[in-house]
Amino acid sequence: MSSSDEPILKGGSSYLFTDRAISKAFESFKRLLSEGKRGLVITRTHPTRVQQMYGLDCPVMWIAKAAKPVGGVLSLEPTRLMKIHSTISDFIKTNPGAVVLLDGLEYLVTENGFATVMKAIQLTNEEVAMSGSFLLVPIDPRAFETQQLGLLEREFSTPKDRTQFPGS
């Protein structure tokens, strides 16, 4: 992907990536890391696999019900939404302008219900806005009902292609 194909992202914003392939969100995440931003990934995919697939050099936390993490893997229980929120909040407070990629929203909805997850996302988005940080959330739109997708799209910004902004 050339830099002219990458979306324009602005600090203090939360972005919803609705491509079925999550690679665009991870490419944007990696670009922000290459610009010197600190990063954190919270994902449903095992951290070792994420680091192998995307070549990341940043903390990767696993959303899993695993009682005890094995091999130094940091995990967050999917039903503890406020713990996930506070992990993101603490990270962006400690690292102003940081970027967080939250992959696994569908799983969080399965475990907690849409309304509960939406409230946690809204709270997180407020902190992202105040801190000048970035929150990147890839989803598969097929996993959500039309009304749910509408609420998510209202809460998040959509990445703008550089092709929409010549000269950027």
Side-chain angles (χ1 to χ4, degrees):
M1 174 185 272
S2 72
S3 62
S4 64
D5 293 336
E6 292 177 359
I8 296 171
L9 305 178
K10 299 197 181 303
S13 298
S14 298
Y15 292 95
L16 189 68
F17 289 78
T18 55
D19 300 301
R20 289 185 191 158
I22 62 172
S23 59
K24 192 177 241 184
F26 272 98
E27 288 302 319
S28 294
F29 180 80
K30 285 178 64 172
R31 182 174 47 85
L32 290 167
L33 292 182
S34 74
E35 293 173 2
K37 304 210 181 316
R38 299 261 318 183
L40 169 66
V41 175
I42 299 175
T43 180
R44 179 68 185 124
T45 306
H46 192 279
T48 303
R49 186 164 175 226
V50 169
Q51 288 171 327
Q52 289 171 346
M53 287 170 45
Y54 300 105
L56 299 175
D57 183 24
C58 67
V60 179
M61 301 182 82
W62 189 26
I63 303 171
K65 291 182 180 179
K68 287 192 176 184
V70 180
V73 171
L74 301 172
S75 67
L76 293 165
E77 292 180 38
T79 55
R80 297 191 60 207
L81 287 177
M82 290 319 296
K83 176 65 175 165
I84 294 171
H85 165 74
S86 67
T87 299
I88 295 170
S89 178
D90 292 347
F91 186 79
I92 63 178
K93 285 177 185 169
T94 306
N95 303 285
V99 56
V100 176
L101 191 147
L102 175 61
D103 173 37
L105 200 68
E106 299 89 344
Y107 180 57
L108 295 177
V109 168
T110 300
E111 290 293 321
N112 301 284
F114 183 79
T116 304
V117 171
M118 193 68 187
K119 287 176 188 172
I121 286 292
Q122 289 167 332
L123 187 59
T124 302
N125 284 353
E126 290 171 8
E127 292 196 19
V128 166
M130 290 186 293
S131 71
S133 296
F134 301 81
L135 176 64
L136 311 181
V137 180
I139 64 163
D140 184 339
R142 299 173 301 173
F144 296 92
E145 296 173 12
T146 304
Q147 181 183 7
Q148 294 171 338
L149 193 55
L151 290 168
L152 287 169
E153 289 172 345
R154 178 110 170 120
E155 188 64 28
F156 287 89
S157 297
T158 303
K160 305 290 186 221
D161 284 335
R162 289 185 186 277
T163 56
Q164 294 172 318
F165 300 96
S168 54

